[in-house]
């Protein structure tokens, strides 16, 4: 799965929990730092794992900003 993900051209937002006990944030950051890193945004919010529960406002703000940037750049448009 990681090989396919690395080959994917799909822009990706990764939201990590600051004090995650289930995910190795350093390994995740290292994985996504490898090329093509330009299609990946990593953000960290307060919490232990369930970012949507631990930090709903921050998570929502990052998601909204990400999609607004994608739409403003034309990269998020839907083909007709």
């Amino acid at each position: 799965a990681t090989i396919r993900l690395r080959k994917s051209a799909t822009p990706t937002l990764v939201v990590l929990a600051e004090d995650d006990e289930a995910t190795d944030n350093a390994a995740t950051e290292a994985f996504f730092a490898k090329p093509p890193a330009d299609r990946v945004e990593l953000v960290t919010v307060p919490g232990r794992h369930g970012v949507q529960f631990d930090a709903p406002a921050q998570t929502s703000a990052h998601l909204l900003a990400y999609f607004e940037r994608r739409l403003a750049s034309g990269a998020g448009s839907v083909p007709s």
Side-chain angles (χ1 to χ4, degrees):
T2 57
I3 293 170
R4 284 182 291 183
L5 183 60
R6 193 164 288 130
K7 290 181 180 179
S8 172
T10 304
T12 306
L13 174 66
V14 178
V15 182
L16 299 172
E18 189 172 67
D19 297 313
D20 201 320
E21 296 175 346
T23 301
D24 183 343
N25 285 354
T28 301
E29 291 169 355
F31 174 80
F32 283 107
K34 296 175 182 169
D38 61 334
R39 66 169 169 71
V40 177
E41 284 187 45
L42 283 118
V43 296
T44 303
V45 298
R48 300 186 76 148
H49 185 69
V51 295
Q52 71 276 27
F53 304 114
D54 295 342
Q58 294 95 327
T59 301
S60 297
H62 283 296
L63 288 167
L64 182 60
Y66 176 79
F67 290 124
E68 286 176 340
R69 285 191 303 278
R70 300 277 311 140
L71 289 171
S73 72
S77 60
V78 178
S80 30

